[in-house]
Amino acid sequence: MKKIESTLIKEQAYVEKLENGLTVILIPKPFTNKKYAIWGTKFGSIDNHFIVPTTGNEIQVPDGVAHYLEHKMFEQENGKNSLDVLMSLGVEANAYTTNNHTAYLFECTNHFHEALEELMNYVQHPYFTDENVEKERGIIGQEIRMYDDEPSWKLYMNAMECLYHQNPVRIDIAGTQESISKINKEILYDCYNTFYHPSNMVMVVCGNFKPEEMLQEIQSHLIQKPLQSSITRIYPKEEKGICQKYKEQEMEVSMPIFMIGFKDETPKQEQVKKHIAIEILLNMLAGKSSQLYQSLYKQQLLFSSLDLDYEFSEQYAHILIAGQSRDPQKVKEQLLKEIQRLKENMPEEYFERIKKKVYGDYVAEYNTVGDIARMFLSDTMKGIQTFDYIEQYASVNIEYVRKVLLENFDEKNMIMSVIKEKNN
Amino acid sequence: MSEQKTMIKPGIQFHQIKTNKFKTNLLAVFLTVPITKEHVTENAVLGTLLKSGSKTMPNQEKINETLEGMYGAVLDSGIEKTGDNQVLKFYMEVIDDDFLPKKEEILTKALEVLLEIVFDPYLENGIFKAEYVKNEKEKIKQIIESKIDNKAAYAIDRCIENMYENKAYSIYRYGYVEDLEKITPENLYKAYIELIHNCKIDIFASGNFQEDLSKKIQEHPMIKSLPERKENLLREENLSSISQPKIVEEHREVTQGKLVIGLVATPQKELTNFNYITMVYNAILGGGANSKLFQNVREKASLAYTTSSNFVKIKENIFIRAGIEIQNYEKAMKIIEEQLEAMKRGDFSQEDIQNAKNLILSTIEGIEEEQDAEISYYFGQEIAGNQITIEEYKNKIEKVSKEEIKQVANNISMHTIYFLRD
């Protein structure tokens, strides 16, 4: 096992790539009573068109299939549901699907060994029947309806539709009532057999244990599978530039909510460094001590701080700034002015202070086993080594941040999505 | 984990929790007063106003500059309702000195900043700055009005309001828009003095401390200047069961109906561990994926994606919730009623009981794994006036028997059925 560490925050991790291709990351935390295990596959809602490695067939699947598959993984041939089995051990178990990966996890203080065995067992043994696939349709249908009532989710989806022409990140992770009606057990098996191969998967365990023993334990639960070559995913070619500048929708909200986005080129190198720079910039531009935020607050155009985010994978990258305001247009205009001002003059002292703040944010992410494990999993899915955020922090200087500002905060790549209150 | 409790003076407690599990230290000040229609709104405004400026940091810019310079220390506040009391919570989270890129002492500074924010606000001519008061009133107004934005949370709040009509527990923790208009910088400052002179004060510090912080707090000039006070908490009588549940339907723009059912659990004299038994009852009914609600409403009938129940100990109420198709109301109600009946008949196995206990035990064991959960746990004990260790807590859960659960089940009834629909 390869040991990686961060001396600054006194944390270490062990990384191993097994013969069958599975990546295992173990993060020992000697002072905690909790253990957290998460097993992820690089299969998310954007992976809807691919070539099956075993047959060479190119297939296209309905929207929402990765999420549907996640729901169905718990059902076992012996009639049991693994979620029930895990819960009955007193462990907290769950699963989730994102744009670019699906993950199965549990967190526990006791019964770790039984729980790990159950997790690895059900993820390696799919059992889909016409009947059990049908039963899930009603449940997922209600999950989609629940999101239909959430203004913040609609806001986000509309922002994606503005940013992208073709990229499947525009599609709702759960799909639509219509698209899920086409999902059947054959499609689920095709996706399972393609994407749930160890070579496409990453397991992360964090907690109090000996890394060598943990690795052996994981290996003992793996079933033999023939090696598989890499999966060819087919994505539509995304045009440069945004798709649509503005989109608004009416819903029952007390005051408009808005999301401003900047489309970015997918980072090919220096992803971590760029990410750190963008976080510093977002805080300088629109963080709590920024002139912009203070001024908007005084004008009562904002009442609480803005959500600032940089989302990226191998397929997409965008900056998001979201909040609630009675006049989103004014917020946008003032943001643009602030960007211009910062481009002309970036005060060194301000930069250093915000850089300190961003460091603190990274360190605070190492507080719980769950946060640590999920962070390592999602970073690994993007090809990132998580400690790099701490280790590369010092190398991010003001010149680099200025360069990122000039390249990435450009009005022509900017969109805005707004959910307005309904006039009754 | 160990909590060391020091009475600073009557009505003011300091709780120090020593732990080596975290990268951060978490400091907190909680101000607790009986919730009243008269004062709830001004207290809510105070909860956010105090973050606008303090004596040496007269505006938000200065406060935030200070926090950023302390490696992004996080100052947070919240308004909560614990039973019939309103709690103003102020938190400061700061990286432990051990993990800074260069040697600095920021813990002491963090404590200073937090105490100054809460107890030494920025004043102009002896009262709050008018501009700040105006802004924070507007902010609270917006929070009150945005209650409707999250439909699931809204449905629960509305169920409670209907259930507790005209009682303290129905009061919304952020107050009421019509009462905001009456607030002026003068009367708000009076309310502030009233508050900090009379409220129960709990100060918490969780982290890997080498020193006993109680001395620092005891000798702090701002703490010294605070008078002693009586602990004045409100505890109204809990609801008693009614023969016919109240049915409330509200129409809003929703695509999914949100059903919330408020239940009343009536304590029995002979059941000394009533609350612990009801916790197990609740876990069997709607605690997790094994629960009766999840299995029957979701897995068997496919009627819902979310369905669960939760137990509010201090009020002895259980709230059942489900997000369903609007036309499936009758169907869902029927299944839920069947589950309550099954609980009364004792139609659950030893395995179900063990599963439910395991679920609760793992939550208890997780308390010390999160700093804010740990603080909330000790604060809950402080308010309830009981002190049990984690071990005792676990024992009480382990001991719950099937007969006891059945007995509790037969003393639980529906009080209010609330349905949010289109």
Side-chain angles (χ1 to χ4, degrees), chain B residues 81-83 156 160 164 169 235 238 263 265 275 278 282 309-319:
Chain B
K81 186 168 68 178
T82 301
I156 291 186
I160 292 174
Y164 280 87
Y169 196 57
R235 175 128 213 198
N238 286 342
L263 309 178
N275 268 338
T278 314
N282 176 63
S309 66
N310 81 300
F311 175 42
V312 179
K313 242 187 272 181
I314 200 159
K315 301 307 287 180
E316 290 157 347
N317 294 139
I318 288 175
F319 294 93

Side-chain angles (χ1 to χ4, degrees), chain B residues 255-272:
Chain B
T255 55
Q256 184 184 58
K258 321 279 175 194
L259 175 63
V260 182
I261 306 172
L263 309 178
V264 170
T266 312
Q268 306 298 299
K269 270 203 196 82
E270 63 276 22
L271 297 179
T272 46

Side-chain angles (χ1 to χ4, degrees), chain A residues 175-194:
Chain A
T176 61
Q177 306 282 356
E178 206 250 321
S179 75
I180 65 165
S181 73
K182 296 180 201 139
I183 294 173
N184 57 35
K185 75 166 195 265
E186 287 73 26
I187 295 176
L188 294 182
Y189 273 119
D190 274 342
C191 290
Y192 180 85
N193 292 330
T194 304

Side-chain angles (χ1 to χ4, degrees), chain B residues 149-240:
Chain B
D149 295 358
N150 179 339
K151 301 290 187 297
Y154 176 78
I156 291 186
D157 279 337
R158 293 290 295 141
C159 180
I160 292 174
E161 285 169 14
N162 280 289
M163 199 165 165
Y164 280 87
E165 227 176 335
N166 301 321
K167 294 194 166 63
Y169 196 57
S170 73
I171 297 173
Y172 188 48
R173 63 187 192 282
Y174 287 104
Y176 302 89
V177 172
E178 63 270 24
D179 294 329
L180 279 169
E181 289 152 22
K182 301 171 208 153
I183 295 173
T184 65
E186 294 83 17
N187 66 24
L188 191 60
Y189 185 64
K190 244 178 88 190
Y192 169 72
I193 295 297
E194 180 82 7
L195 174 75
I196 62 160
H197 283 196
N198 294 296
C199 68
K200 171 172 169 46
I201 300 178
D202 289 278
I203 303 170
F204 293 89
S206 156
N208 198 8
F209 310 118
Q210 304 310 319
E211 50 174 335
D212 179 1
L213 292 174
S214 68
K215 283 219 174 56
K216 263 199 183 123
I217 289 172
Q218 211 133 27
E219 281 154 20
H220 199 281
M222 256 138 8
I223 300 292
K224 269 188 163 166
S225 71
L226 292 170
E228 296 179 2
R229 72 270 329 269
K230 276 207 207 76
E231 279 193 8
N232 171 27
L233 297 180
L234 180 64
R235 175 128 213 198
E236 286 188 352
E237 228 174 279
N238 286 342
L239 292 178
S240 31

Side-chain angles (χ1 to χ4, degrees), chain A residues 1 14 26 209-217 219:
Chain A
M1 277 186 290
Y14 296 81
L26 304 172
F209 53 74
K210 292 200 177 69
E212 290 295 340
E213 288 172 15
M214 184 58 66
L215 185 66
Q216 270 183 17
E217 188 172 338
Q219 280 174 307

